[in-house]
Amino acid sequence: MKLALIGRIAGVLALTIGLAACVDMTEEINITSETTAKATMTMIMASDIYAMMKSADTANAKPEDKFCGKDGETLTENSDGSATCVAVSEGTFADLKFDEGDSKPAFTVVSPGVVRASFPTKDMAGSLATDDKSDPQTAAMMKQMFEGHFVTIRISGKSIGDTNMTVNADKTAAEIKIPFLDLINGTAKLPDELYAVVSTN
């Protein structure tokens, strides 16, 4: 699932398995040094949707169109019938693999041992009201599919300084949980960027 595509889900009549799969998604950037980081994308597909995906004829689908079908993605089938897909990319900031268009993170060294990581938000929101007025059935399906589920963005490291997200108790991570429906409806109130300043020492 691409963050840049979240806002375009509404109004797309032919929902692909890849889009439907992303019921809950977490993207974490762990800053490991002034020049390196580990990016982990975790996607969880609910049991009912995963069962539908498994029973569908996907023999002719390209690997990249399947849930957890790309290189580097690891699929785990959970005991409750749900499925978890984890993709990890690690290395220098330039070497990290993101398929997020304009929503990929940016990194700036602000002082020795201190890195500012940020996600632009302009491509994260869409407008169900604008894009899908003529199709209330699709709007209802979207609401049922994504209600109560979230996109979580997390920046972590040895310690968090300045941030516009919520810092955890031990100050090693800052995150925000954004309801999927707010993104789809275009009602998510987000700053121009989500950021955290991380100390690597």
Side-chain angles (χ1 to χ4, degrees):
M1 178 67 178
K2 303 174 183 179
L3 282 176
L5 287 177
I6 292 172
R8 301 173 198 159
I9 293 174
V12 177
L13 300 180
L15 287 174
T16 68
I17 288 172
L19 291 176
C22 299
V23 176
D24 283 292
M25 181 176 73
T26 299
E27 181 164 0
E28 177 171 2
I29 303 295
N30 178 250
I31 308 297
T32 53
S33 77
E34 276 189 22
T35 57
T36 59
K38 179 179 180 180
T40 305
M41 176 80 78
T42 304
M43 298 171 283
I44 301 174
M45 178 189 284
S47 57
D48 52 350
I49 299 175
Y50 187 58
M52 287 168 47
M53 184 276 292
K54 290 186 70 174
S55 64
D57 179 13
T58 58
N60 297 320
K62 297 177 182 178
E64 60 267 25
D65 293 333
K66 297 179 181 180
F67 178 64
C68 218
K70 293 181 180 179
D71 288 342
E73 295 180 339
T74 302
L75 175 66
T76 300
E77 295 183 333
N78 304 313
S79 59
D80 63 357
S82 64
T84 301
C85 180
V86 177
V88 177
S89 178
E90 192 168 7
T92 65
F93 299 148
D95 290 338
L96 295 178
K97 293 180 173 29
F98 298 99
D99 197 8
E100 304 300 332
D102 292 335
S103 293
K104 65 183 179 181
F107 305 94
T108 305
V109 177
V110 295
S111 64
V114 180
V115 176
R116 186 183 191 274
S118 62
F119 286 86
T121 63
K122 71 184 185 78
D123 286 337
M124 291 185 188
S127 176
L128 187 60
T130 299
D131 297 339
D132 208 32
K133 282 182 178 178
S134 61
D135 193 349
Q137 184 175 3
T138 297
M141 180 177 65
M142 297 291 289
K143 181 177 180 180
Q144 182 178 11
M145 182 177 294
F146 291 104
E147 190 167 25
H149 297 283
F150 298 86
V151 174
T152 300
I153 294 175
R154 182 182 302 120
I155 299 172
S156 61
K158 286 192 175 179
S159 66
I160 302 295
D162 185 31
T163 182
N164 60 355
M165 297 185 287
T166 301
V167 181
N168 67 355
D170 62 4
K171 298 185 178 180
T172 58
E175 72 172 44
I176 184 172
K177 290 182 69 173
I178 311 166
F180 254 114
L181 283 182
D182 286 357
L183 290 172
I184 294 169
N185 292 333
T187 57
K189 298 188 184 305
L190 298 172
D192 291 339
E193 65 174 4
L194 299 168
Y195 73 90
V197 177
V198 183
S199 174
T200 64
N201 296 325

